[in-house]
Amino acid sequence: MAAQKINEGLEHLAKAEKYLKTGFLKWKPDYDSAASEYGKAAVAFKNAKQFEQAKDACLREAVAHENNRALFHAAKAYEQAGMMLKEMQKLPEAVQLIEKASTMYLENGTPDTAAMALERAGKLIENVDPEKAVQLYQQTANVFENEERLRQAVELLGKASRLLVRGRRFDEAALSIQKEKNIYKEIENYPTCYKKTIAQVLVHLHRNDYVAAERCVRESYSIPGFNGSEDCAALEQLLEGYDQQDQDQVSEVCNSPLFKYMDNDYAKLGLSLVVPGGGVKKSPAAPQAKPDGIASAAPEEEEDEYSGGLC
C-alpha cells in the first residue's frame, strides 16, 4: 500500500514538472496545474508516511502558487509543509514555516486565518520553547486586537501570561496581566478583572514589590463592584499579612478556595508565597528549649528589655 502511494506521489511530481516546462509553443509555465499536481503528490506521500517527501512537495506547491500570485493557497501549502515537519518532530522548523504562512495570510487580507495559524504554532512549540510560544501568542493577540476581536485577543494574552509566570519571568508577566485586565475592563467583564487583580498581586509579591501589589488593589477600587467583593477583602487580608510578616495569615488566604481554584499557575504562586523575614509572626513566641551546656542569656536580655511593660 505504501509503495503504491509513493509511486502515485512520484507520478504527480513528474506531471507537475511537465506543467512547468516551457518551449517554442509554450512560453509561460502553467503554475496553477503544477501546484495542483504538487498538492496531490504531497497527499500521496503523507498517506505513505513519507513526511520528508510530502514536505518537499508542499514547498514546491507553495512556490508554484506564489509564482501564480495566489497568496492564500501558497500560505496553505507552507502551513502544510510545517505540519509535515511537526510529524518529523522538527518543531522549530515547523513553527518557522507556519509563521511564514501567517505573514502571507495577513498580506492576503485574511487576518483570522493568520491568527489561527500563529496560535497553532504556539501550541506546537509551547513545551519545547515556551519563550517562542509567548511571542507567538502575543502576536496572535495583536492580530485579533487589530481586528477588534477583543475576547479572542485577551484569551491569547492569558496563555502568554501563564507561560511567563511558569517561567518565573515576573516583570513581563505583570505587564501582560495588566494588559489582560485593561481589555476585560473595556469589554466590561468586571468579575474577571477582580481575578486578574489577584494574579497581579501574587506576581508583584513574588517580585518582592509590595508597593506595586498595594497599588494594584488601590487602582482596582475604580472597577465597578470590586470594593466590597470577596476578592477585595481577601487581597486586603493578604497584603496586611504580608506587611506584618504574618506567614499564617498569608497562607490562610492563599489556601482559601478563592485562590486555590484559580488557574493552576497562579494557585501555585499563592501556595509558594513566603513573607519577608522568613515568615516570623510579630507575636510572642514560646521559649525554645536550649541544648545542654548553652547559657540562656538571650531570653534574660529580652525580659530585661520589656521589663517596664509595653505601655
Side-chain angles (χ1 to χ4, degrees):
M1 180 68 177
Q4 186 186 335
K5 288 292 176 191
I6 292 170
N7 286 333
E8 193 183 314
L10 293 170
E11 283 171 22
H12 286 301
L13 285 183
K15 283 182 187 176
E17 295 302 322
K18 269 189 183 178
Y19 282 122
L20 291 177
K21 279 183 181 169
T22 55
F24 184 66
L25 297 173
K26 184 189 168 197
W27 295 356
K28 191 182 173 188
D30 183 351
Y31 292 119
D32 192 34
S33 299
S36 175
E37 291 298 332
Y38 282 132
K40 288 173 187 173
V43 171
F45 289 133
K46 182 186 171 186
N47 290 338
K49 300 201 182 300
Q50 299 299 306
F51 299 120
E52 182 72 46
Q53 285 172 285
K55 181 256 301 177
D56 289 342
C58 287
L59 290 175
R60 291 188 197 182
E61 181 192 356
V63 171
H65 281 307
E66 276 187 277
N67 286 328
N68 210 29
R69 296 182 183 176
L71 279 184
F72 183 84
H73 294 297
K76 272 282 174 205
Y78 278 123
E79 199 177 346
Q80 280 304 306
M83 297 317 283
M84 294 307 102
L85 283 164
K86 175 214 165 194
E87 294 292 344
M88 294 154 66
Q89 295 301 308
K90 294 181 176 178
L91 296 180
E93 295 94 327
V95 164
Q96 220 168 5
L97 281 181
I98 297 171
E99 277 189 281
K100 184 182 176 81
S102 79
T103 303
M104 295 182 87
Y105 286 133
L106 283 173
E107 285 173 25
N108 184 62
T110 46
D112 278 10
T113 319
M116 285 188 283
L118 285 171
E119 184 179 0
R120 230 178 338 262
K123 283 177 185 170
L124 279 186
I125 203 78
E126 195 172 292
N127 294 325
V128 179
D129 186 351
E131 194 169 332
K132 181 65 178 174
V134 165
Q135 183 198 323
L136 290 164
Y137 288 144
Q138 288 172 337
Q139 275 179 261
T140 313
N142 286 338
V143 174
F144 279 131
E145 204 174 346
N146 290 338
E147 293 301 301
E148 297 184 355
R149 294 179 59 179
L150 297 182
R151 282 178 174 80
Q152 286 92 336
V154 80
E155 190 183 321
L156 270 299
L157 278 174
K159 288 186 178 187
S161 299
R162 289 191 292 276
L163 279 178
L164 288 167
V165 165
R166 210 174 299 166
R168 304 191 74 77
R169 293 159 62 188
F170 293 130
D171 290 356
E172 293 165 83
L175 294 172
S176 183
I177 296 167
Q178 182 61 51
K179 193 165 183 188
E180 280 185 78
K181 191 170 158 184
N182 292 343
I183 293 178
Y184 279 119
K185 201 170 175 182
E186 195 175 334
I187 61 178
E188 298 183 357
N189 184 340
Y190 301 128
T192 305
C193 287
Y194 310 162
K195 303 295 174 226
K196 293 301 163 189
T197 305
I198 293 177
Q200 277 182 305
V201 167
L202 289 171
V203 166
H204 283 312
L205 292 181
H206 272 273
R207 293 175 62 237
N208 299 314
D209 193 341
Y210 176 84
V211 173
E214 192 182 35
R215 188 169 59 243
C216 279
V217 175
R218 201 166 56 243
E219 287 172 354
S220 294
Y221 289 141
S222 65
I223 300 169
F226 178 73
N227 196 3
S229 68
E230 62 170 342
D231 306 75
C232 178
L235 283 171
E236 285 174 348
Q237 197 183 347
L238 175 66
L239 288 175
E240 181 192 39
Y242 191 89
D243 188 40
Q244 295 296 318
Q245 296 185 5
D246 186 340
Q247 185 67 51
D248 289 347
Q249 184 169 324
V250 166
S251 298
E252 187 182 333
V253 175
C254 291
N255 274 289
S256 67
L258 188 65
F259 280 64
K260 276 173 82 175
Y261 297 127
M262 291 180 74
D263 282 318
N264 198 34
D265 293 297
Y266 299 121
K268 282 180 180 175
L269 280 190
L271 294 173
S272 62
L273 185 60
V274 176
V275 301
V280 179
K281 281 185 71 174
K282 290 188 176 178
S283 57
Q288 292 180 344
K290 296 285 174 184
D292 291 342
I294 296 179
S296 55
E300 285 174 10
E301 284 171 14
E302 284 175 12
E303 283 173 19
D304 288 342
E305 189 181 342
Y306 298 115
S307 59
L310 292 171
C311 298

